Amino acid sequence: MKNRTSFLPREGEAQPSRCPDNSAFKQQRLPAWKPQLTIASVLSSFFLTGAFCLTVGVCLVLSANSVREIQIDYSDKCSDCSKLRENSSNWNKECHCSVNFTLKEDILGDVFMYYGLQNFYQNHRRYVMSRSDAQLLGRNVNIQRSYCAPFSTYRNGTPMAPCGAIANSIFNDTIDLFYNHNSSVIQVPLLKTGNSWWTDKNVKFRNPESYNLSSAFAGTARPPYWQKPVYLLDEEDERNNGYVNDDFIIWMRVSAFATFRNLYRRVRRTRHFADGLPAGNYTFHIAYNFPVTRFKGRKHVILSTVVWSGGSNPFLGIAYLVSGTAATLTGFVITGIHLKLRKKKTYFQKQ
């Protein structure tokens, strides 16, 4: 074992210096700028910030209030179908229900149809991770090792396509809208494509390369809760089939809250609906497939317009109003404190 004194510098040897080099950077002599917090600059910052936030907040709240929206809850109105769907042995049985409602005023402009779910938690960590991005990009339909378990393969080894809990629990109610006009029933034309984000449709989701989709997914099986395989999601439009189906893509973007809505369809503006939805009596025809009773959930259909700031959500406007009010009140408080201290300083100077 070496002697501890062998590590000490010998007599006559210069000890290494631990001081930083004598440079402007290491000695912190570089030119710097710092704000001069005068009373004028501080008060102007608070009042300008408050005025800006209040102006934006008022614009956002007025914009959100101008959105026309109607929400129909069909959880109880389709109770018979709900009881049928609670029994998993009835997965292959169809069940339909109808919900009537009335529009008292015209809904002009572009009209969007959403489906809403309440008390459905998509933000659980294991649920969010239960997917395979490599599979959704079409690189490999047979995913053996991934976060999809237990929705990755069946007991006989057949892989699921798509795999994971998110895909397995997809919202699969079919909703059609009919307009009751002069004793005749007119089906409202709905657009089922063009509803997803461009990046999702063209970047994040891809079908496997093959001469047709059925051969691309050969050797795989649909998820347990699905009624048909992924290559039959839209048999009429090949560009909206498989992993690039709009309904599937929108569902795969999970929500952060237990109550949420997803875009389902857009009203096609033609003939009777060129200007939007006219006032009158309407009927939703629903093929009920998505049960919600076991987790005490609710289901809604929402018809809504949009404005430059989005849909009917005043939260952002209220947040701007609160921030603007807080900044303005803080400015007045600082002004009062400044005037009080200046008055006291003037008094002592006269003494």
Side-chain angles (χ1 to χ4, degrees):
M1 183 176 180
K2 293 183 179 181
N3 192 351
R4 293 178 181 271
T5 57
S6 62
F7 296 97
L8 299 176
R10 298 178 182 179
E11 294 183 3
E13 292 183 358
Q15 297 183 4
S17 176
R18 296 185 178 180
C19 296
D21 297 336
N22 188 20
S23 62
F25 176 75
K26 293 187 177 181
Q27 295 297 335
Q28 299 183 5
R29 295 195 302 267
L30 291 175
W33 176 88
K34 59 180 179 180
Q36 299 294 329
L37 298 178
T38 62
I39 187 63
S41 62
V42 172
L43 289 179
S44 60
S45 299
F46 274 102
F47 285 120
L48 288 176
T49 302
F52 173 77
C53 291
L54 288 174
T55 303
V56 175
V58 170
C59 294
L60 289 174
V61 170
L62 293 177
S63 176
N65 291 336
S66 65
V67 174
R68 295 291 312 280
E69 179 178 300
I70 181 171
Q71 179 171 302
I72 308 296
D73 188 325
Y74 66 95
S75 304
D76 296 331
K77 297 178 180 179
C78 298
S79 57
D80 294 337
C81 291
S82 177
K83 294 178 182 178
L84 180 70
R85 284 287 171 258
E86 290 301 323
N87 189 349
S88 59
S89 62
N90 298 324
W91 66 270
N92 58 345
K93 296 181 180 180
E94 295 183 358
C95 189
H96 300 267
C97 59
S98 299
V99 180
N100 299 319
F101 67 97
T102 301
L103 286 181
K104 297 181 180 179
E105 298 179 357
D106 297 343
I107 300 182
L108 302 178
D110 294 328
V111 182
F112 298 83
M113 179 189 294
Y114 302 83
Y115 62 84
L117 289 177
Q118 183 177 344
N119 206 36
F120 189 91
Y121 290 84
Q122 288 188 311
N123 54 7
H124 191 280
R125 180 180 61 87
R126 291 190 61 186
Y127 182 88
V128 173
M129 297 175 61
S130 185
R131 58 185 292 165
S132 173
D133 291 326
Q135 185 191 51
L136 298 176
L137 283 170
R139 296 174 182 173
N140 188 1
V141 297
N142 187 354
I143 300 295
Q144 296 292 341
R145 296 181 181 180
S146 65
Y147 292 107
C148 289
F151 299 103
S152 56
T153 59
Y154 286 93
R155 293 182 180 179
N156 59 2
T158 304
M160 300 180 190
C163 69
I166 306 177
N168 182 58
S169 60
I170 187 173
F171 182 87
N172 55 355
D173 283 2
T174 302
I175 306 172
D176 293 317
L177 180 61
F178 292 87
Y179 175 45
N180 304 318
H181 177 65
N182 295 333
S183 68
S184 62
V185 178
I186 303 172
Q187 184 171 4
V188 179
L190 301 175
L191 298 173
K192 57 183 177 181
T193 58
N195 300 323
S196 59
W197 292 11
W198 185 91
T199 52
D200 288 345
K201 187 82 170 182
N202 297 276
V203 178
K204 295 184 178 181
F205 293 82
R206 283 283 189 274
N207 283 323
E209 294 183 1
S210 181
Y211 62 92
N212 60 41
L213 279 182
S214 60
S215 62
F217 290 98
T220 65
R222 57 175 177 79
Y225 290 172
W226 285 33
Q227 296 178 324
K228 53 186 176 182
V230 66
Y231 55 85
L232 294 179
L233 290 180
D234 190 350
E235 301 179 64
E236 299 177 357
D237 188 355
E238 189 70 19
R239 296 171 299 178
N240 191 44
N241 204 1
Y243 291 152
V244 295
N245 178 263
D246 274 32
D247 293 338
F248 174 72
I249 291 175
I250 292 173
W251 177 260
M252 293 300 292
R253 183 176 290 276
V254 297
S255 172
F257 301 100
T259 299
F260 61 92
R261 64 176 62 178
N262 285 335
L263 181 59
Y264 181 68
R265 296 288 185 267
R266 291 176 294 127
V267 175
R268 183 180 180 183
R269 299 178 63 175
T270 180
R271 299 183 63 183
H272 296 85
F273 314 99
D275 298 326
L277 291 180
N281 298 321
Y282 289 84
T283 302
F284 281 124
H285 287 183
I286 301 169
Y288 197 104
N289 297 308
F290 193 88
V292 296
T293 306
R294 289 189 177 181
F295 57 87
K296 298 179 181 180
R298 310 287 298 180
K299 294 195 293 186
H300 310 84
V301 184
I302 303 102
L303 295 174
S304 176
T305 59
V306 295
V307 291
W308 62 270
S309 60
S312 178
N313 187 4
F315 173 79
L316 185 60
I318 294 174
Y320 268 102
L321 290 177
V322 172
S323 301
T325 303
T328 305
L329 290 178
T330 303
F332 281 117
V333 170
I334 294 176
T335 302
I337 295 174
H338 171 67
L339 294 176
K340 184 177 181 181
L341 293 178
R342 188 175 66 175
K343 184 177 180 180
K344 185 180 296 187
K345 182 179 180 180
T346 304
Y347 173 78
F348 282 112
Q349 288 177 350
K350 291 181 178 181
Q351 293 294 327

